[in-house]
Amino acid sequence: MHVEQPALSFDADAIDPGMIEPGVIEPSRALALADFSPPQVSTGERLIRMAYRFGLGPRALNPFGKRVAPRLTATVANPLPGDAAAGTALRAGHFLLHGLKAPIADIEFFGPRLAPPLERLVHGFGWLSDLEACAARPQCTGVAERILGRWLTANPRPDATPAWDVGNVGHRVLNWLIHAPLILSGQDRTFRNRALRAMETTVAWLDRNVGRAEDKLSEVAGWTAISAAGLLLADGRARRLYGEAGLVHALGDLVGDDGGVLSRNPRCQIEAIELLVRLRACYGAVRAEPPPQIDTILALLVPPLLAVLHGDGALAAWQGAHAIPAARIDGLIRATGVRTRPLRDARQWGYQRVAARRSILLFDAAPPPVARHARDGCASTLAFEFSHGPDRIIVNCGGGACAGGLIPVRLAQGLRATAAHSTLTIDDFNSTAVLINGKLGTGVSEVDIDRRMLNGDGPGSGATRLEASHNGYVSRYGLTHRRILIARDDGSELRGEDCLVPTGRKGKRGMIGVALRFHLGPHIELAQGRDGLGVTLALPDGSLWQFRSGRDPIAIEESLWADGQGRPVGTRQLVIAAKVPRSGETFSWLLKKMR
């Protein structure tokens, strides 16, 4: 296949300053609308809330009241249906997670013996929504009761195992409450009383231990469960007041100024939205109004999530995430009731978005999350993804949070590395140290970002220019990585320049190995040019693109990409590798639509 090769001439510094329009950069949204003080209540309710916080339960607050046995006061309409395929697998005797079927009979329901995603599914009881989605209730209650019975037998009391991590407990209680008809509708009255007692004792444990959560999102899950239990369990007024105050405060610590969670993890953004949507359904079940802060925070959380979606409506691969399907995200956004646009320029959330007709550019222009917020953290600073219509052209591997499914646990560390993202690496070192258990070490601490609009001579000839730099390689090599991306407004062209700029006093003698990686989306056919500097990309929609390197040859290597189910899909990557002096170097490249 021979395609006319576009000329590659790019000098960012040669752009006429008069073409730049000041004042067109969209500012980050301020969190001025949100009030994270406890919900307004009467003086008497404040006293009740304070007493409950200090351990005075309903009996102490109302000593002459009638003793109430554990019972639910309402049935919740589940606002977020589960995965019917996973529910069908449960009825057949398997947990289905990221493409892997784990036999229920082989699952150890106690002890730290499960991969983290499977632990969250099993101990958080998220599988109840899948079971509910696959068949009529009478066909599912037996399965739900058998699994719950095994779990209760294996975990008779709180201990130090993952089953009693605050995040897992919060999700477990919330799912028990919302899907109570699945676990309380059987004919065995003894089992029903056992399940209700387990709910009450677990929530009481959560009341005392929610402040010991492993991270802020887990704490939010705990407070959400406490608030829901206060609504749905009998005699829960004091608990509800206590839970609402704690939840609003925890949300203030979880969410940044522009509405993105501080872990910078889109999966955590989704989880936070799901928790609030489910809690709001609990208020609806008892015909009560939620605190106004809930709707305010939902309105802040949605635009950053929309900012990291591609043209197919599915999620981009940032911070260990995989391409969560559009149907799930669409259902979640509809359930929030929030109608808004994607956030384009989010400085704290950190993801820049450029929508150019049918093309979408997503750019990580912020430091990785700090250790106390990181969950499946990745060294992805200055990586980008690029899609055209429904087809992803340049991607990141993703899937670091899916380990334990079809992606092996031993591979997760590599999927979180800089080399698993479409950016530059030096000597195969990560720009930020990747540690075990999803945490990150030292590395990138500063990122400078400049976003400008460039005018052109005619319609569609303008462009968006992004320039960002990070200091992740300064301490080891004395070099700053600077990346410039220019996306044409008609979506037909993306120009890039990667520069290594000397910084500080480190010696600049010797050579280093540099690699620019561009991981490709699935189902793209490749044809390498005769000069080795160009590769033609044929997309599934029939369009033809060409990638050109300005100075060094392009190699085609194997790669993988985590699909919508978190399964590994074999794909390829374009690699520009070179030995360059430590005094710095510049690499230019071009991705252009030919047909």
Side-chain angles (χ1 to χ4, degrees):
M1 182 188 303
H2 177 70
V3 179
E4 182 180 354
Q5 297 177 349
L8 184 69
S9 59
F10 170 52
D11 182 1
D13 295 327
I15 296 173
D16 181 2
M19 297 169 61
I20 300 173
E21 293 184 355
V24 299
I25 304 174
E26 179 181 296
S28 300
R29 293 185 61 183
L31 204 55
L33 297 178
D35 176 12
F36 292 117
S37 59
Q40 293 296 318
V41 294
S42 67
T43 302
E45 289 176 322
R46 281 201 300 272
L47 291 174
I48 292 172
R49 183 170 65 199
M50 184 181 299
Y52 194 86
R53 180 161 63 90
F54 286 110
L56 296 178
R59 295 300 302 164
L61 295 171
N62 186 16
F64 302 107
K66 184 179 179 181
R67 187 177 296 275
V68 178
R71 63 181 178 86
L72 291 177
T73 60
T75 300
V76 182
N78 179 25
L80 299 172
D83 181 356
T88 301
L90 280 164
R91 294 181 64 204
H94 300 85
F95 288 111
L96 178 62
L97 181 67
H98 301 319
L100 179 70
K101 287 184 177 181
I104 297 172
D106 296 342
I107 293 292
E108 295 284 357
F109 286 91
F110 61 92
R113 302 182 181 179
L114 304 175
L118 188 57
E119 276 181 357
R120 289 191 286 270
L121 178 68
V122 170
H123 298 311
F125 278 70
W127 52 267
L128 282 171
S129 63
D130 300 331
L131 191 60
E132 183 184 72
C134 77
R137 187 185 302 162
Q139 298 174 284
C140 300
T141 53
V143 177
E145 290 178 355
R146 283 195 298 274
I147 300 175
L148 174 60
R150 283 195 59 192
W151 191 94
L152 292 174
T153 300
N155 297 275
R157 62 187 62 85
D159 54 30
T161 64
W164 294 93
D165 289 347
V166 169
N168 288 336
V169 176
H171 281 282
R172 180 162 71 245
V173 168
L174 192 59
N175 282 311
W176 281 353
L177 294 169
I178 291 176
H179 302 288
L182 274 181
I183 55 179
L184 300 176
S185 297
Q187 300 302 313
D188 188 341
R189 190 170 182 176
T190 301
F191 179 83
R192 187 162 61 250
N193 291 335
R194 181 190 182 195
L196 283 168
R197 284 196 305 272
M199 285 186 193
E200 183 59 57
T201 56
T202 303
V203 178
W205 178 91
L206 198 55
D207 288 340
R208 301 187 302 272
N209 293 277
V210 64
R212 302 175 184 176
E214 48 275 21
D215 57 36
K216 279 299 171 183
L217 184 57
S218 297
E219 185 179 339
V220 167
W223 286 115
T224 301
I226 291 171
S227 301
L231 291 163
L232 298 172
L233 290 177
D235 210 2
R237 181 187 179 201
R239 175 176 280 146
R240 176 179 65 82
L241 294 170
Y242 170 66
E244 289 173 345
L247 174 61
V248 172
H249 184 270
L251 285 167
D253 292 337
L254 174 75
V255 181
D257 290 349
D258 46 29
V261 296
L262 296 181
S263 66
R264 301 195 60 232
N265 188 325
R267 291 174 65 255
C268 294
Q269 191 87 3
I270 289 172
E271 183 178 332
I273 295 172
E274 288 176 339
L275 286 167
L276 296 183
V277 166
R278 289 186 168 120
L279 177 60
R280 199 168 60 180
C282 296
Y283 281 96
V286 297
R287 295 181 174 85
E289 287 293 325
Q293 291 95 330
I294 300 298
D295 285 334
T296 301
I297 295 166
L298 277 173
L300 287 166
L301 287 169
V302 170
L305 175 60
L306 297 178
V308 289
L309 303 183
H310 277 291
D312 59 0
L315 193 67
W318 301 113
Q319 297 301 315
H322 61 285
I324 294 175
R328 177 182 168 187
I329 294 176
D330 287 345
L332 177 61
I333 300 304
R334 283 197 303 271
T336 67
V338 176
R339 300 186 65 181
T340 185
R341 294 182 178 180
L343 198 59
R344 292 189 310 163
D345 183 7
R347 301 300 171 105
Q348 191 170 14
W349 178 231
Y351 301 109
Q352 296 285 321
R353 177 186 180 89
V354 178
R357 295 190 183 174
R358 298 188 67 209
S359 296
I360 291 177
L361 168 67
L362 304 176
F363 185 37
D364 182 355
V370 297
R372 68 179 181 275
H373 293 298
R375 184 186 281 193
D376 306 307
C378 296
S380 59
T381 309
L382 300 198
F384 76 96
E385 292 200 358
F386 185 79
S387 62
H388 178 70
D391 298 321
R392 301 182 185 217
I393 303 177
I394 306 296
V395 299
N396 302 309
C397 293
C402 303
L406 291 181
I407 293 177
V409 173
R410 63 181 181 275
L411 183 59
Q413 197 88 338
L415 293 176
R416 297 168 49 219
T418 303
H421 298 79
S422 293
T423 187
L424 175 147
T425 59
I426 300 178
D427 289 340
D428 284 333
F429 279 101
N430 294 319
S431 57
T432 296
V434 176
L435 309 178
I436 61 173
N437 298 327
K439 301 301 182 182
L440 296 170
T442 57
V444 178
S445 61
E446 296 178 3
V447 174
D448 294 322
I449 173 69
D450 179 67
R451 177 172 179 148
R452 306 186 184 195
M453 303 298 294
L454 308 179
N455 290 331
D457 296 332
S461 60
T464 299
R465 181 183 187 272
L466 299 173
E467 178 178 350
S469 61
H470 76 68
N471 65 342
Y473 292 119
V474 169
S475 62
R476 182 183 292 268
Y477 294 103
L479 294 169
T480 293
H481 176 204
R482 183 178 71 191
R483 168 165 271 183
I484 300 171
L485 300 175
I486 298 180
R488 282 178 60 104
D489 290 345
D490 62 5
S492 67
E493 182 179 288
L494 176 66
R495 291 178 178 265
E497 184 173 276
D498 286 279
C499 309
L500 291 174
V501 182
T503 306
R505 300 179 179 178
K506 270 203 173 282
K508 300 179 179 61
R509 296 181 179 178
M511 306 292 284
I512 55 174
V514 176
L516 276 75
R517 299 181 184 275
F518 303 86
H519 298 271
L520 300 177
H523 314 304
I524 295 178
E525 297 182 9
L526 304 180
Q528 194 153 24
R530 295 174 182 174
D531 61 359
L533 299 179
V535 176
T536 300
L537 290 70
L539 272 56
D541 68 355
S543 62
L544 211 60
W545 292 68
Q546 189 169 68
F547 184 92
R548 293 283 298 170
S549 169
R551 47 158 284 174
D552 295 290
I554 303 169
I556 299 175
E557 299 181 4
E558 298 297 314
S559 182
L560 67 81
W561 175 73
D563 71 2
Q565 303 303 317
R567 301 169 300 193
V569 175
T571 181
R572 286 172 288 183
Q573 58 178 311
L574 307 180
V575 182
I576 301 173
K579 288 285 187 180
V580 300
R582 293 183 60 153
S583 56
E585 192 54 87
T586 298
F587 302 84
S588 58
W589 48 267
L590 169 67
L591 178 64
K592 184 177 180 65
K593 189 174 187 289
M594 307 302 297
R595 186 177 71 200

